[in-house]
């Protein structure tokens, strides 16, 4: 069983499903999010639990895919279930929330996204794949995050397919 955990928009979740990866269940910790509508449209079961989201994951889960999931998972959880995440920066730079504004504030010229294993820290797990793009002079948070999102939608699906072949 493959589970996706998401707290918000869910565009990565949708891109993963549309790339042909079979996601069996979506778990969200927020009651009203776009990811719930996307799951409904795609015919995928979605469970909401504000606090007990970890115990909503079925025992027979082979891979947990985080896609904009805004909670830190317990050590026990990430040791039990292989869990991957995508983050909108070239880790280890700009961990945590607001990675895109952090990069703009720092004035870096190259940004990107990182697919990594999840450990009990905040964006500290082992890096699996990265993709970069340029920052343009006239970029703002919205335009830059949109460009990174485009990269995310491709690299996340590709990387998950590679991982699934090894499970
Ligand atoms: C993405 O930028 C991802 O890197 C970060 O949260 C955002 C989720 O976007 N972890 P979406 O909900 O998949 O559209």
């Amino acid at each position: 069983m493959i589970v996706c955990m998401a707290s918000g928009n869910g565009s990565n979740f949708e891109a993963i499903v549309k790339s042909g990866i079979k996601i069996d269940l979506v778990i969200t910790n927020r009651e009203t999010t776009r990811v719930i509508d996307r799951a409904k449209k795609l015919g995928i079961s979605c469970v909401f639990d504000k606090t007990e989201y970890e115990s909503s994951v079925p025992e027979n889960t082979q891979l947990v895919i985080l896609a904009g999931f805004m909670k830190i998972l317990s050590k026990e959880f990430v040791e039990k279930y292989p869990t991957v995440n995508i983050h909108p920066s070239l880790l280890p730079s700009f961990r945590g929330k607001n990675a895109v504004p952090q990069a703009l504030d720092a004035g870096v010229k190259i940004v990107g996204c990182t697919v990594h294993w999840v450990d009990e820290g905040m964006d500290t797990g082992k890096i699996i794949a990265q993709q970069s793009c340029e920052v343009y002079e006239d970029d703002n948070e919205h335009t830059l995050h949109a460009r990174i999102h485009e990269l995310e939608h491709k690299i996340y699906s590709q990387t998950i397919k590679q991982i699934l072949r090894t499970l």
Side-chain angles (χ1 to χ4, degrees):
M1 162 154 298
I2 298 172
V3 171
C4 180
M5 298 175 84
S7 305
N9 179 31
S11 70
N12 276 287
F13 154 70
E14 182 163 343
I16 292 163
V17 173
K18 289 192 168 162
S19 81
I21 294 166
K22 187 177 175 294
I23 291 187
D24 301 287
L25 178 67
V26 177
I27 296 172
T28 182
N29 64 315
R30 286 167 115 190
E31 198 168 5
T32 49
T33 65
R34 256 194 100 188
V35 76
I36 297 175
D37 301 328
R38 292 186 198 258
K40 210 175 271 176
K41 278 196 189 124
L42 293 163
I44 298 172
S45 310
C46 186
V47 168
F48 156 69
D49 199 308
K50 195 173 175 194
T51 52
E52 301 305 307
Y53 39 82
E54 287 193 3
S55 40
S56 300
V57 173
E59 282 289 323
N60 62 340
T61 296
Q62 293 159 281
L63 183 67
V64 175
I65 298 166
L66 304 187
F69 188 65
M70 303 305 281
K71 292 281 179 187
I72 299 285
L73 295 163
S74 69
K75 190 171 188 304
E76 294 70 32
F77 181 93
V78 296
E79 282 176 357
K80 183 170 178 186
Y81 301 109
T83 303
V84 283
N85 184 40
I86 189 150
H87 183 73
S89 79
L90 294 173
L91 290 172
S93 294
F94 313 126
R95 290 185 170 126
K97 281 186 190 167
N98 305 320
V100 177
Q102 283 186 58
L104 283 170
D105 286 349
V108 294
K109 299 295 177 201
I110 303 284
V111 291
C113 57
T114 303
V115 182
H116 63 96
W117 291 110
V118 177
D119 61 15
E120 68 273 25
M122 169 104 73
D123 306 317
T124 48
K126 193 169 187 284
I127 293 170
I128 308 169
Q130 290 185 308
Q131 188 103 55
S132 64
C133 64
E134 272 183 65
V135 180
Y136 300 148
E137 282 300 322
D138 58 352
D139 263 330
N140 55 42
E141 180 184 347
H142 178 76
T143 56
L144 186 55
H145 205 156
R147 193 169 322 114
I148 295 172
H149 246 136
E150 274 183 43
L151 298 179
E152 291 186 339
H153 294 161
K154 290 186 200 125
I155 196 177
Y156 210 11
S157 304
Q158 286 166 4
T159 309
I160 291 165
K161 283 181 186 173
Q162 284 167 7
I163 292 169
L164 290 175
R165 281 197 282 271
T166 68
L167 288 182

